[in-house]
Amino acid sequence: MNSISYEQFLSFKRTTEQAIRDAASLLLRSEGNDVILAVGSVAEGLGNSKSDLDLLMIRHRIDASDQAESKECSWIAGDCIVDMQILAAAEVSALVQRLEDWAETPWDVSSAAPFSPEEILLLHRLCNAVPLSVHPDVQRASGLLPELGKVARLKLHRARHMARTVQVDMVGYKRSGDWYSLIYASQDLLGYVADGLLASFKKTNPNPKWRSRLLHDLPADWKRGMIYMQLAADARQALWDVHYAPAIVDVVSAIAHASRSATLGRAIFAHAECKLVHELDEAWEGVLLSTQQPGEPRSPFPALELDVDFVISPDGVQVARLNEFGSALQVPFHKFSLILQHDGVTTPEQVMSSAEARTPLSGKDIHLEEFLALVGGSGLLLHHEES
């Protein structure tokens, strides 16, 4: 059986929502204001015939006898195994408030967000649950329902922070000639890139096993506004095309695989940040190239080093290698969009053809030769000859 809806799952397991709610209330002697939520893969429509049903019960009053009991319990409803986690309302409310406070701090992916994996999963579940007792408005009024956009921002932050760590490792593997480890690290990077893309569409599930399914569920126009040309129409296929490892592992194939992964990561992370953090959806529009040698075929834009990263601000973008931000290249948005095309594959002609389909904005033209010289002298380009 493929994935099924929440209602289909209950029917298949020969049980009902009422039966599950009554059992949960009876087992925990629930009061009327306790929040009971169906969560996990079943509640999100990702479950199948082998899934269990996960519940959360959020209790407003926990007395001494409750404290002594386990915070988890399980039972059988029809043919369904039900696992329920019991949480204190004060604990959940404090977590939601911490998210609110964190979301007000400046965006900084150089350090990890102060949330454990368990807390990140709980925040996701709270805002993607099927309510079995109180209405979500009551849950929200009680401070027990996080804002989905802020949970998505947290997922993007974690993906960005972890990706930067992997990118630094990738450069280390390249320098030591460890091509197998470089490929494995590239695929780790793509997992976090997938998380960043999903976060930009507010798909907040943090479990890696659902990445492919969630990517496939993205809308047909998922690429709209993204600055990267070499992408399949389906998001799942686009990530798979880059993730697919080379059949023969050597210096050329390993570095090419790593470069594709890092390039795609920069494009997706930049787009996700503009959507979720900086509200700059239109920052990339209107870039046109001019050249002193019109009509002459040009080589592809050279690839960037594996650890090249960026910091977006209202005035432009800072681009530099990780751990070397003292020598950053400061560029306006329209030039950063062209830097994102530096993948060793895309040609200036392709960029020109794409740009001609858009209306240029005044002052957004880029002189190609001058720009190539600027990037070439910045120390950002990929070098194969590492000692």
Side-chain angles (χ1 to χ4, degrees), residues 39-287:
V39 297
S41 59
V42 171
E44 295 175 46
L46 298 170
N48 55 53
S49 62
K50 300 296 290 183
S51 299
D52 297 338
L53 178 62
D54 296 312
L55 299 185
L56 285 178
M57 177 180 280
I58 305 174
R59 311 206 69 177
H60 286 274
R61 185 179 64 83
I62 297 183
D63 57 29
S65 61
D66 292 327
Q67 291 283 12
E69 294 176 357
S70 170
K71 291 191 175 182
E72 296 180 355
C73 63
S74 301
W75 69 91
I76 303 295
D79 296 330
C80 177
I81 299 175
V82 182
D83 297 318
M84 185 165 72
Q85 181 182 9
I86 302 97
L87 298 169
E91 176 185 353
V92 175
S93 179
L95 175 61
V96 173
Q97 186 59 55
R98 281 175 51 210
L99 176 69
E100 293 284 332
D101 295 341
W102 173 82
E104 296 300 319
T105 62
W107 181 253
D108 179 9
V109 296
S110 63
S111 58
F115 297 88
S116 69
E118 293 78 16
E119 291 172 331
I120 292 172
L121 177 60
L122 177 57
L123 287 165
H124 158 73
R125 287 183 160 183
L126 288 170
C127 55
N128 289 275
V130 175
L132 303 188
S133 56
V134 304
H135 191 276
D137 287 346
V138 177
Q139 187 183 345
R140 183 178 295 104
S142 302
L144 303 176
L145 185 61
E147 185 179 324
L148 180 60
K150 292 176 181 177
V151 180
R153 176 185 170 117
L154 177 58
K155 178 173 180 174
L156 174 60
H157 187 282
R158 182 178 186 277
R160 282 280 281 130
H161 177 70
M162 295 301 298
R164 287 158 59 99
T165 300
V166 175
Q167 286 177 266
V168 173
D169 290 340
M170 288 166 66
V171 172
Y173 296 138
K174 181 167 74 75
R175 288 179 175 174
S176 62
D178 187 351
W179 310 124
Y180 285 89
S181 293
L182 177 57
I183 290 174
Y184 280 126
S186 302
Q187 295 180 330
D188 286 343
L189 173 62
L190 287 171
Y192 296 121
V193 171
D195 286 343
L197 177 58
L198 292 169
S200 72
F201 287 91
K202 298 184 179 178
K203 304 285 188 180
T204 57
N205 194 312
N207 197 324
K209 72 179 180 179
W210 298 122
R211 283 169 177 161
S212 178
R213 182 79 59 81
L214 293 170
L215 286 170
H216 189 55
D217 290 341
L218 293 185
D221 65 346
W222 69 276
K223 293 191 296 181
R224 185 173 62 86
M226 191 175 298
I227 301 298
Y228 190 63
M229 295 194 175
Q230 317 300 324
L231 292 174
D234 177 77
R236 179 173 63 176
Q237 187 64 47
L239 269 292
W240 177 257
D241 289 343
V242 181
H243 188 274
Y244 197 81
I248 299 175
V249 179
D250 57 20
V251 55
V252 175
S253 64
I255 292 179
H257 183 70
S259 179
R260 286 194 299 273
S261 303
T263 300
L264 179 61
R266 279 186 289 268
I268 285 179
F269 283 138
H271 185 61
E273 279 198 20
C274 283
K275 288 179 65 176
L276 282 180
V277 181
H278 306 292
E279 299 181 355
L280 293 168
D281 286 358
E282 305 302 320
W284 315 124
E285 295 300 320
V287 176

Side-chain angles (χ1 to χ4, degrees), residues 10-53:
L10 295 182
S11 177
F12 179 78
K13 292 293 187 178
R14 299 190 304 112
T15 189
T16 65
E17 187 175 279
Q18 181 70 48
I20 291 170
R21 179 170 57 246
D22 291 347
S25 299
L26 180 64
L27 284 169
L28 273 298
R29 303 181 301 279
S30 175
E31 300 177 353
N33 62 347
D34 288 338
V35 178
I36 304 175
L37 305 171
V39 297
S41 59
V42 171
E44 295 175 46
L46 298 170
N48 55 53
S49 62
K50 300 296 290 183
S51 299
D52 297 338
L53 178 62

